[in-house]
Amino acid sequence: MLSEASNGEALLRRAETRRRWSLAMPALIVIALFSILPLAVMVVYSFLTPGTYGNVVWQFSLDGWFSVVFERDLFDDTLGLADAHLSILGRSALLALATTGLTMLFGLPTAWFIATRPVATRAYWMFLITVPFWTNLLVRTIAIQEVIRADGTINRLLLGLGVIDAPIQMMFTNGAVLLGMTYVYLPLMVLPVYAAIEKFDFRLAEAAYDLHASRFYCLRRVIFPLIRPGIVAGSILVFIPALGAYVTPRLMGGGRAMMWGNLIDLQFGQGRNWPLGAALSVSLTLLVMIALVLSVRRFAGGGRSDV
Amino acid sequence: MKRNACFLGTAAVAALMAQGALAEGQLNIYNFGLYTPPELLERFSEAYDVEVSLTEFAANEEAIARIQAGGHGLDVVLVSGYFIPAYLDQGLLMESRPNEMENFGNIAPEWASITGDPERAYTVPWVWGTTGVMVNTGLYDGDINTAAIFLDPPEALRGTINLVPSMNDVIDMTLRYIGAEPCTSDREALSAARDLLTSAREHWASIDYASFEKFVNEDLNASVFWSGAAGRIREANPDFAYGWPETGYIQWMDNMAILADATNVENARLFLNFIMDPENAALISNYTRYGNGISGSDAYMDAGLLDSPELQVPEALQGAAIDQQLCAPEVQELYTRIWTELTR
């Protein structure tokens, strides 16, 4: 009797597992089709030979990957590091990091402000945060241009007030790119941080004050560890797209200094070297993956050990 | 490459000109952005009772990638002269024999044969123009028929110079400036060109499809630029003038061709013949501000356009034209590396 029952249970469990898999199957197929397959195409293309007029020739080659890191001197063919690629990657990473830092600087107080409003009004504040998303990225970037260009709002205002005599050159600088990126990615930081702060039990802060914690100490040891998962999520959401940003650097930077995304575009377009473009894209994906794995290891458990 | 100077991204604007349910058929046109006069399409649509749709792209490379992918449903495509070999190599164009069409005789003799399509067996002219330099003569009144405008800029222009991001055009002009030939595989010449470009770079404000208003408002005062676009800026700000570098400037022709897998072949043929008609060719010129390569179209062109200095290459400089071309893959790779180093 007993063994029969457990046998039946096992059967039931197996049926249950099967049912779950078959229910998940449509989602898994979609993921495989739209996420893994394109990536696989990119990986395959990075190992092929460039065609004469763009596209690829189905012939195995490591040249694409080789040129990501190395190059032969234009003049005498001596082998060296592709320092142009490395400096472009360095600039992209630095800019993405700076964007993450700035969105954090502006995003944290914003999220805090919203989360501490009465419950009834919070929805309206959140609604305001999402307003920029209603407009296309290109339009938003051009709007920012309008504000900072030589004949733009800020310069005209300062000239009119007599603060400056000649317009300040703000367009086509690294500062302009950073401003544009911060503006574009700010909501991606505010949303997860807000979600984390909203869940925060403010009685914990009161308890900290009761135990004579200073405001700063309370922020550092009580509030920050508890909202850290939100900050980490926000940073990842901002850093990853910022690293591959294309439109904003192109428009705000004036095209004089490339980002990784523009370099990829160059290889697929005028450069007619698709394998190198594919290898550059895959390297970006790999870098992001490594950064993610590291950050998950570092921040796993959301700082519970500190509390 | 894109001849209009306002950045549209990869705009794919579909302007449907429905002529009611009784239309004879369809024609799907694939052209550069801001390159197709709406009036031309309306006329064609009325004349042949065809429903016309227009899709736009920003660069030849973008267009060919989409056509190779298939399933595009397009019938005619604009192909820059230098890019015709790329299309032919992949068998993407139909041998529609425009040279046997009724209006073929209208093509001006100098455009009846082009390097990429010597017999005109595939393509008909859309517009032609040059890529040279444009300068604000209010700030600099020296000689502007020189590539030194961007390679060794005069003091007055430094810091407000733009380059259109046409890699090959810029490098070709630089090579000619230092006495080498475009698409050369001579490493010494290529590294000299790279060094000259990198040293000039600090004087440039941008490498961009800069919008017209940046020049009109004098945020930018010089640029490597297209002749027609330069004419439009001069009309808004008469201080701007266009020059043809005496060491070499780029001359190009954009052409219309039928795709090998077109579905509306008859309408596409009608369209090619239609744009070789002087009156229709003039419509294209009036809209794009470029010459069109069709004899007799002058009679229908806007007066301001006919005498615009940008379209009249001075006789002494005609020999300096560089026929825009595709470099061999190994040279192209070196071009790309020069460009990468330039914009690193």
Side-chain angles (χ1 to χ4, degrees):
Chain A
M1 280 290 272
L2 202 67
S3 73
E4 230 170 74
S6 69
N7 206 2
E9 227 169 76
L11 270 177
L12 260 179
R13 219 177 296 135
R14 228 172 295 151
E16 176 68 10
T17 318
R18 234 193 338 257
R19 201 172 66 89
R20 280 194 190 151
W21 271 104
S22 48
L23 277 177
M25 208 32 94
L28 291 176
I29 290 174
V30 167
I31 290 174
L33 235 108
F34 292 106
S35 161
I36 297 172
L37 196 67
L39 257 176
V41 169
M42 205 57 102
V43 172
V44 170
Y45 270 40
S46 71
F47 288 106
L48 297 175
T49 309
T52 313
Y53 302 109
N55 217 329
V56 287
V57 177
W58 284 86
Q59 194 180 352
F60 180 80
S61 159
L62 284 172
D63 285 357
W65 280 99
F66 181 81
S67 327
V68 172
V69 196
F70 299 107
E71 66 177 17
R72 292 190 183 280
D73 188 85
L74 199 55
F75 183 54
D76 57 15
D77 267 349
T78 46
L79 193 63
L81 278 181
D83 55 348
H85 289 178
L86 297 180
S87 73
I88 291 170
L89 178 65
R91 181 187 307 114
S92 301
L94 212 64
L95 195 79
L97 272 178
T99 307
T100 314
L102 275 180
T103 50
M104 218 187 276
L105 191 70
F106 292 112
L108 284 183
T110 314
W112 182 266
F113 174 83
I114 298 173
T116 50
R117 292 311 94 190
V119 182
T121 54
R122 271 181 219 166
Y124 294 105
W125 289 105
M126 282 319 287
F127 177 76
L128 284 179
I129 288 289
T130 58
V131 165
F133 277 127
W134 299 0
T135 322
N136 179 282
L137 173 66
L138 201 59
V139 177
R140 274 184 282 158
T141 311
I142 289 172
I144 277 273
Q145 265 191 354
E146 192 52 38
V147 174
I148 65 165
R149 68 194 179 86
D151 194 29
T153 320
I154 293 181
N155 272 322
R156 247 183 282 163
L157 198 71
L158 292 178
L159 282 170
L161 290 172
V163 182
I164 49 170
D165 305 323
I168 308 168
Q169 174 65 40
M170 287 178 279
M171 275 308 293
F172 305 146
T173 60
N174 284 333
V177 179
L178 192 56
L179 174 74
M181 303 250 287
T182 306
Y183 167 65
V184 165
Y185 293 120
L186 188 60
L188 296 181
M189 178 63 85
V190 173
L191 295 176
V193 173
Y194 163 76
I197 298 179
E198 202 196 18
K199 271 186 279 172
F200 176 71
D201 185 346
F202 281 89
R203 286 174 304 180
L204 288 174
E206 282 165 23
Y209 290 142
D210 285 349
L211 294 169
H212 296 284
S214 68
R215 290 168 76 102
F216 178 69
Y217 193 81
C218 169
L219 179 72
R220 195 164 63 88
R221 295 300 300 270
V222 180
I223 300 171
F224 183 68
L226 283 170
I227 63 169
R228 200 164 72 174
I231 299 176
V232 171
S235 304
I236 290 172
L237 281 181
V238 171
F239 183 77
I240 292 175
L243 194 59
Y246 171 78
V247 173
T248 315
R250 169 85 186 267
L251 285 178
M252 306 292 283
R256 230 160 53 102
M258 268 198 271
M259 297 294 153
W260 200 252
N262 309 99
L263 181 62
I264 294 171
D265 170 58
L266 176 66
Q267 303 304 337
F268 278 101
Q270 298 188 73
R272 290 188 272 136
N273 192 343
W274 289 22
L276 176 54
L280 290 168
S281 311
V282 176
S283 349
L284 181 66
T285 313
L286 284 177
L287 283 174
V288 167
M289 215 151 78
I290 292 168
L292 267 183
V293 168
L294 286 181
S295 75
V296 166
R297 277 215 189 138
R298 171 84 177 70
F299 296 112
R304 236 158 243 147
S305 55
D306 294 355
V307 183
Chain B
M1 148 184 356
K2 180 174 121 150
R3 316 275 191 222
N4 60 73
C6 86
F7 181 75
L8 285 172
T10 52
V13 185
L16 283 165
M17 248 148 288
Q19 289 298 307
L22 291 172
E24 274 288 308
Q26 290 191 319
L27 179 68
N28 301 311
I29 302 171
Y30 200 30
N31 202 350
F32 279 128
L34 295 181
Y35 227 41
T36 326
E39 200 189 332
L40 180 83
L41 301 187
E42 276 160 33
R43 271 201 199 193
F44 181 74
S45 197
E46 271 161 33
Y48 297 100
D49 200 13
V50 165
E51 198 176 308
V52 182
S53 87
L54 171 66
T55 310
E56 298 184 339
F57 59 88
N60 282 296
E61 290 86 357
E62 177 195 338
I64 199 172
R66 172 163 178 187
I67 288 162
Q68 277 170 340
H72 46 74
L74 300 161
D75 300 310
V76 291
V77 66
L78 185 99
V79 185
S80 295
Y82 76 97
F83 215 71
I84 295 175
Y87 274 87
L88 291 183
D89 178 70
Q90 321 241 349
L92 297 173
L93 297 185
M94 177 181 290
E95 192 175 345
S96 59
R97 305 224 62 96
N99 47 9
E100 289 163 12
M101 289 179 186
E102 189 194 335
N103 285 337
F104 183 74
N106 293 337
I107 298 185
E110 65 269 32
W111 294 114
S113 167
I114 53 172
T115 316
D117 184 11
E119 279 182 71
R120 287 279 183 198
Y122 300 88
T123 66
V124 305
W126 185 259
V127 293
W128 71 273
T130 58
T131 309
V133 290
M134 180 181 72
V135 177
N136 181 347
T137 52
L139 279 179
Y140 175 72
D141 57 4
D143 177 23
I144 61 165
N145 288 325
T146 168
I149 294 294
F150 68 98
L151 290 174
D152 182 13
E155 198 72 50
L157 299 174
R158 289 182 182 179
T160 54
I161 298 168
N162 176 63
L163 270 71
V164 287
S166 294
M167 174 169 94
N168 281 52
D169 291 357
V170 170
I171 298 177
D172 283 353
M173 282 202 267
T174 309
L175 283 168
R176 282 286 278 270
Y177 182 74
I178 60 171
E181 276 310 300
C183 289
T184 179
S185 54
D186 175 6
R187 299 299 188 93
E188 211 166 324
L190 286 168
S191 23
R194 174 196 58 189
D195 295 344
L196 180 58
L197 283 165
T198 11
S199 69
R201 178 186 178 228
E202 59 170 314
H203 304 305
W204 306 337
S206 53
I207 305 177
D208 198 7
Y209 297 113
S211 65
F212 287 5
E213 126 262 322
K214 287 204 180 93
F215 296 103
V216 176
N217 298 336
E218 307 192 359
D219 284 347
L220 293 170
N221 291 307
S223 184
V224 171
F225 223 52
W226 301 296
S227 48
R232 282 156 89 163
I233 285 165
R234 175 188 43 79
E235 281 165 16
N237 183 339
D239 277 345
F240 278 91
Y242 181 77
W244 299 264
E246 58 188 0
T247 49
Y249 57 91
I250 313 293
Q251 179 163 299
W252 45 263
M253 172 165 264
D254 286 339
N255 309 274
M256 203 46 92
I258 305 181
L259 287 165
D261 53 355
T263 43
N264 305 297
V265 179
E266 270 323 299
N267 290 337
R269 278 179 202 279
L270 286 174
F271 187 71
L272 293 199
N273 193 50
F274 182 77
I275 59 173
M276 288 189 285
D277 178 271
E279 207 175 333
N280 298 327
L283 276 182
I284 301 175
S285 287
N286 289 339
Y287 183 79
T288 59
R289 316 307 277 178
Y290 289 107
N292 55 48
I294 301 292
S295 314
S297 71
D298 289 9
Y300 307 97
M301 265 152 78
D302 292 347
L305 181 62
L306 264 182
D307 2 295
S308 79
E310 292 81 10
L311 295 192
Q312 329 293 335
V313 186
E315 196 125 347
L317 295 171
Q318 280 176 6
I322 303 169
D323 197 11
Q324 198 178 35
Q325 59 185 318
L326 274 179
C327 302
E330 59 275 13
V331 175
Q332 192 68 20
E333 197 191 320
L334 300 176
Y335 267 44
T336 314
R337 274 179 40 203
I338 293 176
W339 195 254
T340 309
E341 273 189 47
L342 197 59
T343 50
R344 60 191 283 184

